Amino acid sequence: MSDPLAPLPAFFHLIALDAVDSTNEEARRLAASGAPEGTLVWARRQTAGRGRRGRSWQSPPGNLYASILLRPRCAPAAAAQIGFVTAVALGEALRRFLPPGVPLSFKWPNDVLVAGRKISGILLEASGLTGDRLDFLVVGVGANVATSPADVPYAATSLAQSGAGEVKTGDLLAVFAESFASGLARWREEGFAPAREGWLARAQGLGGPVEVRLDRETLSGRFASLDEGGGLALDLPCGERRVVTAGDVFFPDL
Ligand code: BTN
């Protein structure tokens, strides 16, 4: 890797690579061979980057691809909260590079949007259970720094396209790592409430109409809230409330 990197919090053990299939896959391989919590895999490019719900993630040089290995002593359901801790940390980091006044929001579950366009995505991959606890969790973060993909079914942007100028991926990683380490420590001490509040304060479409596409059905209703486990609480026209834990969200006015 050519980018110099500012010092990271002591929590992290950095592994910097020029190319890898997927930083999530590499973090999983390292986890299986006993790597410690805080192992951070960072690659200049990925050859098989993956996104949520089985999609691929285009990964040319110039953007950020990083995965953090965690060994949280929690049940799988609680691990979803870490996705929101990560999104809030990423939002804080991206904000540091954006011109003042450029709107940044969070789209359920873990996307960050700038001016309504997706700038980053997060992929959580959990593995193994000992009793009711996870063996490990990989938190994968992709952020568009220099470029955004053209042929994706959503509006996308990058830091460069949003007026941030030229940003080094290593600089974004260093700022994100600081925010993430403090957000994670807070989650461990205080639970989900601080991250949940931070996320809700900038939630895209909160209180308005939303369509949620699940594997086998599409639901339309009002985006009421984020529940205590990180699920999207949806008020249906029939008056019923549904909590959705996996799906894709669409807003009529975005
Ligand atoms: C999404 O679909 O929005 C999630 C995208 C997550 C992409 C990141 S890039 C680093 C890490 N490695 C991967 O293969 N995927 C995640």
Side-chain angles (χ1 to χ4, degrees), residues 22-24 46 49-52 57 66-67 111 118 121-122 140-142:
S22 150
T23 56
N24 267 35
Q46 299 182 117
R50 47 188 191 241
R52 287 176 60 241
W57 185 260
S67 300
D111 292 352
K118 178 162 170 166
I122 292 167
V141 170

Side-chain angles (χ1 to χ4, degrees), residues 30-158:
L30 291 165
S33 56
E37 168 156 286
T39 297
L40 168 58
V41 182
W42 173 39
R44 199 172 67 87
R45 65 187 173 94
Q46 299 182 117
T47 54
R50 47 188 191 241
R52 287 176 60 241
R53 298 168 69 76
R55 293 184 276 249
S56 63
W57 185 260
Q58 294 175 34
S59 307
N63 294 336
L64 176 67
Y65 315 107
S67 300
I68 302 167
L69 170 62
L70 299 178
R71 296 189 181 277
R73 289 185 201 87
C74 70
Q81 298 175 358
I82 295 176
F84 296 87
V85 171
T86 308
V88 170
L90 198 47
E92 280 170 14
L94 290 163
R95 192 76 356 290
R96 294 267 292 272
F97 296 91
L98 289 166
V102 175
L104 181 146
S105 58
F106 300 118
K107 178 167 177 250
W108 189 89
N110 297 149
D111 292 352
V112 182
L113 309 183
V114 169
R117 296 171 167 265
K118 178 162 170 166
I119 196 165
S120 75
I122 292 167
L123 179 64
L124 297 182
E125 295 184 311
S127 185
L129 278 179
T130 303
D132 62 352
R133 290 179 173 188
L134 289 177
D135 284 341
F136 65 81
L137 177 71
V138 171
V139 181
V141 170
N144 300 332
V145 176
T147 59
S148 61
D151 48 350
V152 286
Y154 53 82
T157 192
S158 65

Side-chain angles (χ1 to χ4, degrees), residues 137-228:
L137 177 71
V138 171
V139 181
V141 170
N144 300 332
V145 176
T147 59
S148 61
D151 48 350
V152 286
Y154 53 82
T157 192
S158 65
L159 276 176
Q161 289 163 300
S162 306
E166 207 175 300
V167 174
K168 288 183 179 150
T169 55
D171 289 347
L172 176 62
L173 179 64
V175 176
F176 163 67
E178 283 281 348
S179 291
F180 178 84
S182 58
L184 185 71
R186 201 155 178 216
W187 176 76
R188 284 184 161 142
E189 282 156 24
E190 299 175 39
F192 188 35
R196 181 172 176 270
E197 279 160 28
W199 190 91
L200 279 169
R202 290 180 182 273
Q204 183 75 41
L206 184 65
V210 68
E211 186 180 282
V212 188
R213 295 186 197 154
L214 314 178
D215 282 339
R216 287 193 184 77
E217 61 179 325
T218 296
L219 302 172
S220 295
R222 192 183 71 89
F223 176 11
S225 192
L226 181 70
D227 90 339
E228 299 300 324

